[in-house]
Amino acid sequence: MPRIKNKSVKKNITKKIKVKKEKTNKKSVVKEKVQNPTVLQLNKKNKKSPQLVRGMKDIVPPNSSDWVKMYRTADAITEAYNFSFFESPILEEAVLFARTLGKSSDVVSKEMYVFEDRDGNKLALRPEATASAARSYLTSGMVNMSQPVKLWYYGPMFRHDRPQAGRYRQFHQFGCESFGVHDASLDAEVITVAYNFIKDLGIETTVHINSIGTPEERAKYIVELVGYLRSKRSYLSEESKKRITKNPLRVLDSKEQQDIEAMEDAPQIVDWLSENSKQYFMNVLEYLDEVEVPYVLKPTLVRGLDYYTDTVFEIFADSNEPLASQGALGAGGRYDLLVEELGGQPTPGVGFSIGLERVLLEIKSKREKEKQNLEEGQKMSIKKGKKELFFAHLGEPSRKRTLALIEELRRAGITVRHCLGKVSLKGQLELADKFQVTHSIILGQKELQDGTIIIRDMESGIQEIVDQKKIKKEVSKILGIAY
Ligand code: HAM
């Protein structure tokens, strides 16, 4: 018996020791955790706020409304030209871009964000969307749809470049890709969409265009070009010297002054094109003449990505802004071998992408100029002819009624500017001035009781008292819309 008792006591003691050990272990785990630097930082209540990553930007008011406008413009123009919306994942296999854009392209060799995920897959943040569209054309069964398959996209791309105005590490592109048909009309169609998108946003541009022919034609040209580059080697920049063997075509569009001078007498690719390729290029230009898209021929334009064949183009703002010299607003071309490169059947394709941050810089600088002109008394308003209203209120009870009246107007399809915070009437009218509205609606305590509103012409200062029930009619009259 005592043995049994002893046994149970022993068991009990062992249990207690075990629990104690476990507790000690837990303590050491806690201790270990505390020693983990990230936990330490948090425990120490490190007050330094997380910062925006270099080269990336938030899209915030007031500029965010320009983003909405760009999106709506893209939506409208792609609908008019029958492109279907397309979106691919931001992460792709890194090999997709290395194989299609080219290992020696700047994008792949210097700028791509590449990393291994937890499963050891080598992934990349997409630096552009054309390769993704071609991959998706194959993997999503678009091959079996009626051709051409015309896609449009709008979203962020990532390149680890040196950030500066118009060049970011996360930037946004609007683009169109047209798969399945080799015809000059489709080259002209995508160029027209790109050109009109920017024009619809109020920016005048010109298309720079060239043809780089087939890979065979290009190979013959490259032999000639390399010979020329070797003869001019001592005049070239260090970067271009390296490119003679790595990627000689890129020397053609170097921005270095010494390279530009050395390349003045360089052979031009157009002289190495076959009759077929020349005729195709002529057809594209004829279509552009037909739709009145302005272009200039650029024999040195070759583009920095490997997948192009035949037509290549870049779109530049006509403004002589320093921003415009940062680079093209958009670019594109034909890529008839891209789908095949990814393992598909021979499938021609053509498309473009526009850098939206660069378009935004143009919009902003144009707006700035117009504002200056306005301030200088020149009658050039950004809102020329456009009437807008601001709804101002005075006091808490009228604020509630204001919201109801704004909603009544909205249901009638009328939007008005307003500020429902506890802002003084003076503050609200200043805001109205900032928005450059032509009229303000004012609802004070007296009007609230009378069931009226005041409509004030902001230019003449003339005020009219109107029955609240007639608000839709009166506002429609001002805006010149049918009631
Ligand atoms: P890309 O020339 O590399 O072509 O880029 C197109 C546009 O994206 C440029 O003209 C520029 O506006 C904008 N962009 C490029 N890099 C940056 C950056 N770091 N920061 C801000 N904006 C930038 C392509 O991406 C091809 N996928 C075009 C294409 C479509 N070709 C055929 N289809």
Side-chain angles (χ1 to χ4, degrees), residues 49 82 91 94 99 134 138 161 181 185 224 226 253 280 287 297 342 391 400 413 427 478:
S49 312
N82 313 137
L91 286 181
R99 238 164 92 178
L138 290 172
D161 205 349
V181 174
S185 62
E224 186 73 18
V226 169
D253 64 3
Y280 188 85
Y287 272 110
L297 298 175
L342 295 175
F391 205 134
K400 279 197 190 124
I478 291 168

Side-chain angles (χ1 to χ4, degrees), residues 128 130 159 166 168 173 177 303 307-308 328-329 351-353 355:
E128 60 107 60
T130 312
R159 295 183 194 178
Y168 310 101
Q173 285 184 343
E177 312 292 349
R303 306 279 300 128
Y307 54 58
Y308 291 112
L329 296 184
F352 73 85
S353 319

